[in-house]
Amino acid sequence: MPNANPKHYLQLHVLVFIAGFTAILGELSTIGSLELVWYRMAIASVLMFIYIKLIKLNIKITKKALL
């Protein structure tokens, strides 16, 4: 891979670190699984809302498409 982009290597290392760190966080977590799912869903919803507002994405649905 002589033409490999260093940015891609950095992204790969960050993802490997996150994947390896999740087991440690899961072991240290004292919260129940149901609460954890709701917290993760709430955080993801807020971050998606912020991202949509930042990039000014129009996500309006027409009544015809809704039906």
Side-chain angles (χ1 to χ4, degrees), residues 46-59:
V46 169
L47 291 176
M48 285 174 55
F49 178 77
I50 291 170
Y51 178 74
I52 288 170
K53 290 298 179 183
L54 281 176
I55 66 168
K56 296 179 174 85
L57 180 64
N58 185 8
I59 58 170

Side-chain angles (χ1 to χ4, degrees), residues 19-60:
F21 200 66
T22 55
I24 296 169
L25 290 178
E27 190 69 30
L28 295 175
S29 176
T30 59
I31 191 171
S33 60
L34 188 60
E35 292 86 5
L36 180 64
V37 169
W38 280 103
Y39 284 130
R40 289 174 65 184
M41 191 169 61
I43 290 169
S45 299
V46 169
L47 291 176
M48 285 174 55
F49 178 77
I50 291 170
Y51 178 74
I52 288 170
K53 290 298 179 183
L54 281 176
I55 66 168
K56 296 179 174 85
L57 180 64
N58 185 8
I59 58 170
K60 293 186 180 178

